[in-house]
Amino acid sequence: MFEPTRKNIQASDATLLITQTRSVTGTKQNQRDTLRSLGLKRIGHQVTRKADVTTVGMLNTVPHLVSVEEVTHG
C-alpha cells in the first residue's frame, strides 16, 4: 500500500486509486473540502486520479482519512 506523506509521494505519470477510509465527522472544514474536491463522498468510496501536483497536495492534506494505491496498467 502507498501511504501519502510529504516524503514519499511525488507527482508522476502514475494513476492512483484513492479510497476514503475514515469519516469526516470531527475533521476540519478544509479537510472535508479536500475530500470533496478529490471526489470522495463516503467511507469506502473510491476514485482514480492522476498523480499530478494538485492531487499530491490534496493527499498530503488528508493522509489519515484515505488509503492510496498505485494502479498498474497492463
Side-chain angles (χ1 to χ4, degrees):
M1 176 153 13
F2 187 74
E3 290 296 322
T5 64
R6 294 190 190 280
K7 296 176 190 170
N8 65 3
I9 191 166
Q10 298 176 357
S12 66
D13 292 333
T15 302
L16 303 175
L17 178 65
I18 306 163
T19 306
Q20 184 175 342
T21 57
R22 296 192 59 198
S23 172
V24 296
T25 304
T27 60
K28 296 178 182 179
Q29 184 65 45
N30 71 317
Q31 294 171 348
R32 289 182 289 221
D33 294 341
T34 299
L35 286 180
R36 187 53 61 126
S37 295
L38 284 167
L40 297 168
K41 299 179 181 179
R42 61 192 169 276
I43 296 173
H45 192 215
Q46 294 181 327
V47 295
T48 305
R49 300 281 301 256
K50 249 181 120 49
D52 58 4
V53 175
T54 305
T55 303
V56 169
M58 287 193 275
L59 291 174
N60 285 327
T61 302
V62 291
H64 57 291
L65 300 175
V66 298
S67 66
V68 181
E69 298 175 31
E70 189 171 338
V71 177
T72 57
H73 299 284

